[in-house]
Amino acid sequence: MLATTSRGQPIVYLDSAATSQKPNVVLEAMDEFYRTSNANIHRGVYEASERATLAYDGSRDTVARFLGGVPADEVIFVRGTTEAINLVANSFLKPRIKPGDIVLVTEMEHHANIVPWQLAGARTVPIPVTDAGELDMAAAERLLAQGCAMLALCHVSNAIGTINPIAELCAMAKRHGVPVLVDGAQAVGHLLVDVQQLGCDFYCFSGHKVYGPTGSGVLWGKQEHLSAMPPWQGGGDMIDLVSFERTTFAPSPRKFEAGTPDIAGVIGLDVALNWLMGQDRQGIAVHEATLLDFGRWTLEQVEGVKLIASPRDNVGILTFTVDGAHPHDVASLLDQAGICVRAGHHCTQPLHRRFDLDASVRASIGPYNTRADIESLGIGLRRVQEVFA
Ligand SMILES: Cc1ncc(COP(=O)(O)O)c(C=O)c1O
C-alpha cells in the first residue's frame, strides 16, 4: 500500500478504479516465485520448471472458482481486459462479421470496449444512458430486436460506477440470438460474480484492478465458442504439430496463450483472488457503500461541486466537476495535499459527451479506504473551491 508522497505527506489513495493497491501476500508470492521457482513453464522436465508449470496451470482452478465454478479449461490468461476484448473481437467476431454488422455497446463503455470492435470491422452502436447514469432498457430491447452481431457491455461503469443489470440484458440478448461479452474490469473487485448465473458468453477482467499485478488478466468463454474460435496470435506453446506446410493447434485454452506468459503475474493473480475470496465480501461491500454515501454527502456540502449521474445501483465511484476549475487543476491541487484522484475523460469520451463534458474528476474507493480519507477529500475540495471561487 502506498504510504507517503515524496514530500513525506500521508497518501490518501482514491484511485482504485485505475488500479488497486496490492496486499502483501501478492507481493510476497511474486517475490518468492522469482527467488525460488523462476523457470519457464510447459517446457522443462526439471523440478523448478515443473513447479512453475503447476503453479501457473493451478491458477486456472482459482479463477474458475472465482467466476462461480466454471470449468478451468474455459479460463484463458491474457494481459488484461483490453487484450481479452481484442482476442474476442479478432477470433470470435472477425471470422463471422458481414459488411454493416453492428456490435451493440453502451454509451458508458470504456474505450477498450469500443475500439477493438471497430478495428474488427464492426459498426458500434450505443445503448443510451439516462440522466441518472443508467441504461435505457427499453432502447436496449429495441436495438437488440433490430439485430446485431454481438452485445458488449461493462458490468460496472468505470466512469460513474453504475452496476448494469447484466442477467436481464443477457436474457434479452438470448431471446434475440445475440452473444454477449461482459467487461468485468470494474466489477470483480466489488461484486460476487457467477458468470453462469449472469448468462453471458464471455467475461473478462484485469488482474491489477482486483488486487493482483499488472500484466495479468482473464478471459472466460463458453467452451462451445472457444473450441470453434481460431487462434489469434501464433507462436510457441499454442501448437500441436508444426511443419512448413501446415500447423495444428493445441486445444483451448493453450491455443490462445502464445509465447511465454506473465508467469509471476498469473501466480500473483491467483494469490490475490484467493486473498479476496477469503475476505468478508459482504462486509467489504457494506464498508464501501457506507464510504460512498458519506462521499456523496461530503461532496454535496462543498459549494460548486457537481456530482455526475446518480445511478441507483452503483459501486466505488464519485465523479464530479468543480465550478470554474478545470478537472486537471482540481486533481493537481488535491495532489498537493497527498490526495490521489483521477482527472480527464477516464477513457470514456462518449459518456462525457453525453453529459456535455470534456473531463471530470473521479475519486474511487477500495476496501482499504477510511472515513478519514473522504474527510480529507472534502477538506481538499474546499481549498480548491477557495482558490477558484
Ligand atoms: C471498464 C473498463 N474496461 C476496460 C478497462 C481496460 O483495462 P486494462 O487497461 O487493464 O486492460 C478498464 C480500465 O480502466 C476499465 O475500467
Side-chain angles (χ1 to χ4, degrees):
M1 183 79 197
L2 294 177
T4 52
T5 65
S6 61
R7 303 178 294 271
Q9 298 154 301
I11 283 185
V12 175
Y13 189 74
L14 290 169
D15 200 16
S16 291
T19 199
S20 61
Q21 296 297 319
K22 322 300 174 202
N24 277 338
V25 283
V26 171
L27 309 181
E28 284 158 10
M30 293 175 72
D31 184 67
E32 190 187 325
F33 166 73
Y34 278 126
R35 286 180 196 282
T36 66
S37 311
N38 178 39
N40 212 330
I41 55 167
H42 298 152
R43 286 163 217 177
V45 288
Y46 53 93
E47 200 220 333
S49 173
E50 281 171 0
R51 255 204 326 266
T53 301
L54 275 178
Y56 179 85
D57 285 336
S59 303
R60 270 186 237 284
D61 297 325
T62 302
V63 176
R65 257 188 314 122
F66 183 72
L67 292 178
V70 293
D73 60 1
E74 292 183 344
V75 171
I76 298 163
F77 288 120
V78 288
R79 280 190 300 130
T81 310
T82 302
E83 189 170 70
I85 298 173
N86 276 279
L87 194 164
V88 177
N90 279 279
S91 179
F92 179 73
L93 180 73
K94 212 168 178 175
R96 57 165 71 189
I97 198 163
K98 296 183 298 304
D101 266 0
I102 286 171
V103 170
L104 198 57
V105 291
T106 80
E107 229 172 359
M108 65 174 84
E109 290 316 307
H110 189 283
H111 299 163
N113 202 19
I114 300 174
V115 183
W117 308 114
Q118 294 173 344
L119 287 175
R123 199 153 61 84
T124 45
V125 171
I127 299 170
V129 164
T130 65
D131 289 345
E134 295 169 350
L135 290 182
D136 178 338
M137 295 297 277
E141 177 82 66
R142 204 169 49 245
L143 287 163
L144 279 165
Q146 284 168 10
C148 57
M150 181 121 201
L151 168 63
L153 82 166
C154 58
H155 195 167
V156 169
S157 156
N158 70 303
I160 47 177
T162 314
I163 305 173
N164 286 319
I166 296 296
E168 198 183 331
L169 283 156
C170 286
M172 221 186 246
K174 205 174 218 167
R175 286 200 295 279
H176 296 286
V178 174
V180 183
L181 173 137
V182 179
D183 167 355
Q186 295 294 338
V188 284
H190 299 287
L191 308 175
L192 286 171
V193 173
D194 181 328
V195 293
Q196 284 162 328
Q197 267 180 17
L198 291 176
C200 55
D201 295 83
F202 298 99
Y203 195 96
C204 54
F205 66 90
S206 302
H208 70 99
K209 294 191 198 278
V210 66
Y211 316 109
T214 52
S216 67
V218 167
L219 169 67
W220 167 81
K222 284 185 178 164
Q223 192 56 255
E224 64 195 81
H225 296 317
L226 299 179
S227 311
M229 284 158 57
W232 173 43
Q233 294 174 330
D237 227 30
M238 49 76 76
I239 52 90
D240 169 30
L241 287 170
V242 178
S243 72
F244 289 112
E245 292 73 37
R246 178 166 178 267
T247 294
T248 53
F249 304 108
S252 178
R254 279 179 71 175
K255 79 175 166 189
F256 296 112
E257 294 179 8
T260 302
D262 187 342
I263 305 164
V266 165
I267 290 169
L269 175 62
D270 181 337
V271 174
L273 297 183
N274 272 312
W275 172 83
L276 186 57
M277 286 189 280
Q279 302 296 307
D280 169 9
R281 301 289 300 272
Q282 185 57 28
I284 290 180
V286 169
H287 172 69
E288 290 180 351
T290 307
L291 288 185
L292 202 62
D293 283 348
F294 181 51
R296 283 191 162 268
W297 179 85
T298 302
L299 265 55
E300 278 160 12
Q301 308 311 303
V302 186
E303 215 185 305
V305 171
K306 290 201 177 79
L307 279 154
I308 298 160
S310 50
R312 272 162 305 179
D313 287 334
N314 64 342
V315 270
I317 286 172
L318 295 161
T319 303
F320 56 93
T321 55
V322 181
D323 282 350
H326 191 278
H328 285 128
D329 295 330
V330 176
S332 295
L333 274 175
L334 291 173
D335 173 55
Q336 285 176 18
I339 302 166
C340 312
V341 295
R342 200 137 273 252
H345 51 63
H346 324 304
C347 297
T348 53
Q349 285 181 352
L351 185 78
H352 276 73
R353 247 174 252 129
R354 155 72 181 81
F355 285 100
D356 284 329
L357 294 168
D358 292 327
S360 59
V361 185
R362 181 185 73 185
S364 53
I365 288 165
Y368 29 69
N369 286 122
T370 61
R371 216 178 143 84
D373 293 341
I374 303 292
E375 281 163 354
S376 300
L377 177 65
I379 293 164
L381 284 174
R382 255 182 223 107
R383 195 173 117 61
V384 170
Q385 203 271 331
E386 279 160 21
V387 171
F388 287 95

PDB file of all heavy atoms in Angstrom, residues 247-260:
ATOM      1  N   THR A 247       0.201 -26.082 -39.746  1.00  0.00           N
ATOM      2  CA  THR A 247       0.326 -26.192 -38.285  1.00  0.00           C
ATOM      3  C   THR A 247      -1.024 -26.566 -37.696  1.00  0.00           C
ATOM      4  O   THR A 247      -2.056 -26.051 -38.140  1.00  0.00           O
ATOM      5  CB  THR A 247       0.814 -24.849 -37.701  1.00  0.00           C
ATOM      6  OG1 THR A 247       2.137 -24.607 -38.175  1.00  0.00           O
ATOM      7  CG2 THR A 247       0.837 -24.853 -36.185  1.00  0.00           C
ATOM      8  N   THR A 248      -0.997 -27.442 -36.724  1.00  0.00           N
ATOM      9  CA  THR A 248      -2.239 -27.710 -35.981  1.00  0.00           C
ATOM     10  C   THR A 248      -2.031 -27.202 -34.548  1.00  0.00           C
ATOM     11  O   THR A 248      -0.899 -27.067 -34.081  1.00  0.00           O
ATOM     12  CB  THR A 248      -2.584 -29.215 -35.968  1.00  0.00           C
ATOM     13  OG1 THR A 248      -1.437 -29.934 -35.504  1.00  0.00           O
ATOM     14  CG2 THR A 248      -2.974 -29.691 -37.356  1.00  0.00           C
ATOM     15  N   PHE A 249      -3.160 -26.927 -33.908  1.00  0.00           N
ATOM     16  CA  PHE A 249      -3.077 -26.186 -32.656  1.00  0.00           C
ATOM     17  C   PHE A 249      -3.469 -27.019 -31.440  1.00  0.00           C
ATOM     18  O   PHE A 249      -4.257 -27.963 -31.557  1.00  0.00           O
ATOM     19  CB  PHE A 249      -3.975 -24.946 -32.738  1.00  0.00           C
ATOM     20  CG  PHE A 249      -3.619 -24.091 -33.920  1.00  0.00           C
ATOM     21  CD1 PHE A 249      -4.459 -24.019 -35.022  1.00  0.00           C
ATOM     22  CD2 PHE A 249      -2.414 -23.415 -33.958  1.00  0.00           C
ATOM     23  CE1 PHE A 249      -4.104 -23.266 -36.127  1.00  0.00           C
ATOM     24  CE2 PHE A 249      -2.049 -22.668 -35.054  1.00  0.00           C
ATOM     25  CZ  PHE A 249      -2.891 -22.596 -36.150  1.00  0.00           C
ATOM     26  N   ALA A 250      -2.930 -26.601 -30.300  1.00  0.00           N
ATOM     27  CA  ALA A 250      -3.332 -27.212 -29.022  1.00  0.00           C
ATOM     28  C   ALA A 250      -4.785 -26.815 -28.767  1.00  0.00           C
ATOM     29  O   ALA A 250      -5.270 -25.824 -29.315  1.00  0.00           O
ATOM     30  CB  ALA A 250      -2.435 -26.683 -27.909  1.00  0.00           C
ATOM     31  N   PRO A 251      -5.493 -27.605 -27.938  1.00  0.00           N
ATOM     32  CA  PRO A 251      -6.869 -27.186 -27.622  1.00  0.00           C
ATOM     33  C   PRO A 251      -6.855 -25.910 -26.775  1.00  0.00           C
ATOM     34  O   PRO A 251      -5.831 -25.545 -26.190  1.00  0.00           O
ATOM     35  CB  PRO A 251      -7.426 -28.365 -26.824  1.00  0.00           C
ATOM     36  CG  PRO A 251      -6.257 -29.166 -26.397  1.00  0.00           C
ATOM     37  CD  PRO A 251      -5.096 -28.841 -27.277  1.00  0.00           C
ATOM     38  N   SER A 252      -8.022 -25.280 -26.687  1.00  0.00           N
ATOM     39  CA  SER A 252      -8.186 -24.136 -25.805  1.00  0.00           C
ATOM     40  C   SER A 252      -7.989 -24.628 -24.359  1.00  0.00           C
ATOM     41  O   SER A 252      -8.358 -25.764 -24.068  1.00  0.00           O
ATOM     42  CB  SER A 252      -9.593 -23.584 -25.999  1.00  0.00           C
ATOM     43  OG  SER A 252      -9.812 -22.524 -25.146  1.00  0.00           O
ATOM     44  N   PRO A 253      -7.431 -23.916 -23.441  1.00  0.00           N
ATOM     45  CA  PRO A 253      -7.041 -22.513 -23.531  1.00  0.00           C
ATOM     46  C   PRO A 253      -5.663 -22.273 -24.150  1.00  0.00           C
ATOM     47  O   PRO A 253      -5.336 -21.155 -24.478  1.00  0.00           O
ATOM     48  CB  PRO A 253      -7.033 -22.075 -22.060  1.00  0.00           C
ATOM     49  CG  PRO A 253      -6.719 -23.320 -21.302  1.00  0.00           C
ATOM     50  CD  PRO A 253      -7.329 -24.452 -22.069  1.00  0.00           C
ATOM     51  N   ARG A 254      -4.861 -23.378 -24.341  1.00  0.00           N
ATOM     52  CA  ARG A 254      -3.471 -23.121 -24.744  1.00  0.00           C
ATOM     53  C   ARG A 254      -3.361 -22.502 -26.121  1.00  0.00           C
ATOM     54  O   ARG A 254      -2.418 -21.757 -26.391  1.00  0.00           O
ATOM     55  CB  ARG A 254      -2.648 -24.403 -24.638  1.00  0.00           C
ATOM     56  CG  ARG A 254      -2.222 -24.618 -23.179  1.00  0.00           C
ATOM     57  CD  ARG A 254      -1.434 -25.854 -22.963  1.00  0.00           C
ATOM     58  NE  ARG A 254      -0.090 -25.785 -23.520  1.00  0.00           N
ATOM     59  CZ  ARG A 254       0.807 -26.755 -23.349  1.00  0.00           C
ATOM     60  NH1 ARG A 254       0.489 -27.806 -22.637  1.00  0.00           N
ATOM     61  NH2 ARG A 254       2.000 -26.653 -23.890  1.00  0.00           N
ATOM     62  N   LYS A 255      -4.341 -22.777 -26.980  1.00  0.00           N
ATOM     63  CA  LYS A 255      -4.216 -22.204 -28.331  1.00  0.00           C
ATOM     64  C   LYS A 255      -4.335 -20.674 -28.308  1.00  0.00           C
ATOM     65  O   LYS A 255      -3.998 -20.016 -29.286  1.00  0.00           O
ATOM     66  CB  LYS A 255      -5.227 -22.832 -29.296  1.00  0.00           C
ATOM     67  CG  LYS A 255      -6.638 -22.324 -29.217  1.00  0.00           C
ATOM     68  CD  LYS A 255      -7.515 -22.937 -30.307  1.00  0.00           C
ATOM     69  CE  LYS A 255      -8.978 -22.676 -29.994  1.00  0.00           C
ATOM     70  NZ  LYS A 255      -9.919 -23.361 -30.836  1.00  0.00           N
ATOM     71  N   PHE A 256      -4.831 -20.133 -27.196  1.00  0.00           N
ATOM     72  CA  PHE A 256      -4.946 -18.670 -27.089  1.00  0.00           C
ATOM     73  C   PHE A 256      -3.827 -18.050 -26.239  1.00  0.00           C
ATOM     74  O   PHE A 256      -3.873 -16.871 -25.923  1.00  0.00           O
ATOM     75  CB  PHE A 256      -6.301 -18.293 -26.490  1.00  0.00           C
ATOM     76  CG  PHE A 256      -7.457 -18.699 -27.357  1.00  0.00           C
ATOM     77  CD1 PHE A 256      -8.336 -19.692 -26.959  1.00  0.00           C
ATOM     78  CD2 PHE A 256      -7.652 -18.099 -28.597  1.00  0.00           C
ATOM     79  CE1 PHE A 256      -9.394 -20.071 -27.762  1.00  0.00           C
ATOM     80  CE2 PHE A 256      -8.714 -18.477 -29.414  1.00  0.00           C
ATOM     81  CZ  PHE A 256      -9.579 -19.469 -29.001  1.00  0.00           C
ATOM     82  N   GLU A 257      -2.852 -18.869 -25.842  1.00  0.00           N
ATOM     83  CA  GLU A 257      -1.788 -18.334 -24.972  1.00  0.00           C
ATOM     84  C   GLU A 257      -0.426 -18.552 -25.628  1.00  0.00           C
ATOM     85  O   GLU A 257       0.398 -19.346 -25.160  1.00  0.00           O
ATOM     86  CB  GLU A 257      -1.860 -19.000 -23.588  1.00  0.00           C
ATOM     87  CG  GLU A 257      -3.129 -18.636 -22.834  1.00  0.00           C
ATOM     88  CD  GLU A 257      -3.252 -19.300 -21.461  1.00  0.00           C
ATOM     89  OE1 GLU A 257      -2.287 -19.941 -21.010  1.00  0.00           O
ATOM     90  OE2 GLU A 257      -4.327 -19.170 -20.861  1.00  0.00           O
ATOM     91  N   ALA A 258      -0.213 -17.845 -26.735  1.00  0.00           N
ATOM     92  CA  ALA A 258       1.047 -17.993 -27.477  1.00  0.00           C
ATOM     93  C   ALA A 258       2.199 -17.324 -26.726  1.00  0.00           C
ATOM     94  O   ALA A 258       2.044 -16.234 -26.175  1.00  0.00           O
ATOM     95  CB  ALA A 258       0.903 -17.376 -28.859  1.00  0.00           C
ATOM     96  N   GLY A 259       3.349 -17.980 -26.725  1.00  0.00           N
ATOM     97  CA  GLY A 259       4.548 -17.375 -26.144  1.00  0.00           C
ATOM     98  C   GLY A 259       4.601 -17.508 -24.633  1.00  0.00           C
ATOM     99  O   GLY A 259       3.668 -18.009 -23.997  1.00  0.00           O
ATOM    100  N   THR A 260       5.697 -17.036 -24.072  1.00  0.00           N
ATOM    101  CA  THR A 260       5.856 -17.107 -22.614  1.00  0.00           C
ATOM    102  C   THR A 260       4.899 -16.124 -21.956  1.00  0.00           C
ATOM    103  O   THR A 260       4.947 -14.935 -22.240  1.00  0.00           O
ATOM    104  CB  THR A 260       7.300 -16.750 -22.208  1.00  0.00           C
ATOM    105  OG1 THR A 260       8.175 -17.669 -22.873  1.00  0.00           O
ATOM    106  CG2 THR A 260       7.486 -16.843 -20.709  1.00  0.00           C
TER     107      THR A 260
END
